[in-house]
Amino acid sequence: MDEKMKKARKKLAVRFFVLCGIALALFGFVAFRIFAERSRPEAPPVSGLAAEDLENGEQYARLEFDTLPILITSFSKGESQLYFITDVNEERYIAEISDQTFQSIVETLDQETGKLDETFQFIGAVSQIDENVKELAISNSFKIFQNDALNADNFSEYLGEIYLKEKVVGKRTVTVYTILALLGAFFLILAFGYVVPAMIRAKKDDFGILDEKNMMRALRKYLPYGETLSSGVHSIGLETEIKMVFGNCIYDGDMTLIPGESNAALKVIKGKKARFDVYVGVSQNYLILSECQKYKHYYEFDEVHSPGDTKVTELKEPTSLNDVGNCFPLTEIQSCETKKIWMGAIECTITMKNGGFLKLMIPKRGGVGIPDHEKYREKLLARLSERRFT
């Protein structure tokens, strides 16, 4: 067991560093992309640039102006528009400005003077004016030039050959960055919210309900004399309806069955539909259940005058209803149906010959405290799935 626990602790440490590494890689990628987009060299004034400067690769330039940019025309789609801009030196340029940036410019506009409260500095990537941009500017030149002064022949004299284009991080890119950051946070939560507590419990040899020693101790409590547990697993009870018939038994009305003379057998139905933690084990001849905590169940009681072939249990001493339905002969099992569900777990429905049933979900892994969970699970399911129990 000590060797198994050492391996389990080592796996937890590896898992912790892997999760943290993934999280840091995701955060680092997002931070790098954001930093790369924002860390640009100081941009020179656009007035000193020409179209031939674009041959040196992507370049940024700045425009300084104190009047509101004039919209050339709205794009049918997108997050930016083309504007005429008159800079502080009364030179005119074209710039593609994002809607968000333009809104921030509008907010500084003084309605009385018609000028901005302070000079606005706009930085954008230098792009050569293509034919589409030129046509749009000429067709809307009346907004800034009078008497159709602008035309294709004198275009460069009035507006130059380049324009500034604001680099906008699109919604799709923002969404991708957000998803990556959330994934990073998720892996960190797994590392510190799940793995670290598991490492602490492993160091203290304290695993709560996910502890093999506690599990075996709880199952042996209901193990009949002469039987030996062959396997045990931690499971989740999904829905149960246990039916048992007791002979010469009286219910005292306070959660206890008392041996006593009675004209009829007492049928007890004990059920639960809420999820609960339960240990499940098998011995040579019995299926054993032991709930990990005290849970509330619903009960039904009925007198049975002719039990027929129904198995009748004779009580030798007062028995709490909490201890009813913890030990079942394998010969009383009618069928066991299993199906795989999410994350490798198995849903197991055990139906008894008397109509009772147990619907359980058995996880793929049992945690550090139950290192043999997968081996036990296979042995348990193999035994329960046998067509003939002996």
Side-chain angles (χ1 to χ4, degrees), residues 25-40:
L26 291 170
F27 287 139
F29 175 78
V30 174
F32 172 77
R33 295 300 303 171
I34 293 175
F35 176 78
E37 291 171 359
R38 292 183 177 180
S39 60
R40 299 166 182 156

Side-chain angles (χ1 to χ4, degrees), residues 52-161:
E52 52 267 20
D53 294 323
L54 299 180
E55 297 177 358
N56 299 324
E58 188 174 61
Q59 187 169 351
Y60 288 85
R62 72 174 186 271
L63 263 175
E64 296 180 349
F65 52 90
D66 58 7
T67 58
L68 194 66
I70 298 174
L71 180 67
I72 294 178
T73 185
S74 297
F75 293 166
S76 57
K77 294 181 180 180
E79 300 175 348
S80 58
Q81 313 294 338
L82 285 173
Y83 293 87
F84 291 121
I85 293 181
T86 302
D87 72 359
V88 292
N89 297 317
E90 297 298 323
E91 296 290 336
R92 294 181 174 89
Y93 299 93
I94 296 175
E96 185 176 324
I97 303 176
S98 70
D99 296 339
Q100 182 178 358
T101 299
F102 182 75
Q103 182 60 38
S104 65
I105 297 172
V106 171
E107 291 174 356
T108 66
L109 179 65
D110 188 325
Q111 297 294 339
E112 294 183 1
T113 64
K115 289 184 174 292
L116 306 182
D117 290 338
E118 57 184 18
T119 300
F120 189 91
Q121 186 178 92
F122 173 78
I123 297 177
V126 180
S127 301
Q128 187 167 7
I129 296 176
D130 57 29
E131 290 300 319
N132 289 333
V133 173
K134 184 179 291 187
E135 289 178 6
L136 287 173
I138 292 174
S139 61
N140 291 273
S141 62
F142 65 90
K143 297 181 180 181
I144 193 169
F145 300 108
Q146 296 180 350
N147 302 322
D148 297 327
L150 183 66
N151 55 56
D153 295 329
N154 62 13
F155 188 92
S156 60
E157 297 177 14
Y158 282 90
L159 293 171
E161 298 177 346

Side-chain angles (χ1 to χ4, degrees), residues 13-288:
V14 171
R15 192 174 301 173
F16 173 78
F17 287 113
V18 168
L19 290 173
C20 288
I22 294 174
L24 291 176
L26 291 170
F27 287 139
F29 175 78
V30 174
F32 172 77
R33 295 300 303 171
I34 293 175
F35 176 78
E37 291 171 359
R38 292 183 177 180
S39 60
R40 299 166 182 156
E42 185 177 352
V46 69
S47 58
L49 298 176
E52 52 267 20
D53 294 323
L54 299 180
E55 297 177 358
N56 299 324
E58 188 174 61
Q59 187 169 351
Y60 288 85
R62 72 174 186 271
L63 263 175
E64 296 180 349
F65 52 90
D66 58 7
T67 58
L68 194 66
I70 298 174
L71 180 67
I72 294 178
T73 185
S74 297
F75 293 166
S76 57
K77 294 181 180 180
E79 300 175 348
S80 58
Q81 313 294 338
L82 285 173
Y83 293 87
F84 291 121
I85 293 181
T86 302
D87 72 359
V88 292
N89 297 317
E90 297 298 323
E91 296 290 336
R92 294 181 174 89
Y93 299 93
I94 296 175
E96 185 176 324
I97 303 176
S98 70
D99 296 339
Q100 182 178 358
T101 299
F102 182 75
Q103 182 60 38
S104 65
I105 297 172
V106 171
E107 291 174 356
T108 66
L109 179 65
D110 188 325
Q111 297 294 339
E112 294 183 1
T113 64
K115 289 184 174 292
L116 306 182
D117 290 338
E118 57 184 18
T119 300
F120 189 91
Q121 186 178 92
F122 173 78
I123 297 177
V126 180
S127 301
Q128 187 167 7
I129 296 176
D130 57 29
E131 290 300 319
N132 289 333
V133 173
K134 184 179 291 187
E135 289 178 6
L136 287 173
I138 292 174
S139 61
N140 291 273
S141 62
F142 65 90
K143 297 181 180 181
I144 193 169
F145 300 108
Q146 296 180 350
N147 302 322
D148 297 327
L150 183 66
N151 55 56
D153 295 329
N154 62 13
F155 188 92
S156 60
E157 297 177 14
Y158 282 90
L159 293 171
E161 298 177 346
I162 59 176
Y163 74 110
L164 297 187
K165 187 175 182 179
E166 183 177 0
K167 288 289 187 178
V168 180
V169 179
K171 291 182 179 179
R172 182 177 298 179
T173 302
V174 172
T175 301
V176 171
Y177 289 171
T178 303
I179 291 174
L180 292 177
L182 289 176
L183 281 175
F186 172 73
F187 284 116
L188 276 185
I189 291 173
L190 283 181
F192 288 94
Y194 171 73
V195 179
V196 169
M199 293 171 68
I200 295 173
R201 290 194 298 269
K203 188 174 182 180
K204 296 181 178 179
D205 286 334
D206 177 16
F207 305 100
I209 63 175
L210 296 179
D211 189 311
E212 186 171 317
K213 292 180 290 185
N214 291 341
M215 177 180 68
M216 292 303 184
R217 188 182 305 116
L219 290 172
R220 290 191 185 101
K221 177 181 176 182
Y222 300 106
L223 190 67
Y225 178 77
E227 295 285 317
T228 303
L229 282 172
S230 59
S231 65
V233 297
H234 166 262
S235 302
I236 304 297
L238 303 178
E239 183 178 359
T240 62
E241 186 172 281
I242 298 168
K243 298 180 180 180
M244 299 188 70
V245 177
F246 298 92
N248 295 320
C249 169
I250 301 172
Y251 175 50
D252 72 348
D254 190 26
M255 296 294 292
T256 303
L257 300 177
I258 302 175
E261 294 295 329
S262 175
N263 295 326
L266 182 64
K267 180 180 181 180
V268 178
I269 297 178
K270 177 181 179 180
K272 188 172 182 63
K273 295 185 177 181
R275 296 165 69 96
F276 62 99
D277 293 280
V278 61
Y279 299 129
V280 184
V282 288
S283 65
Q284 296 95 321
N285 301 295
Y286 290 89
L287 170 69
I288 311 296

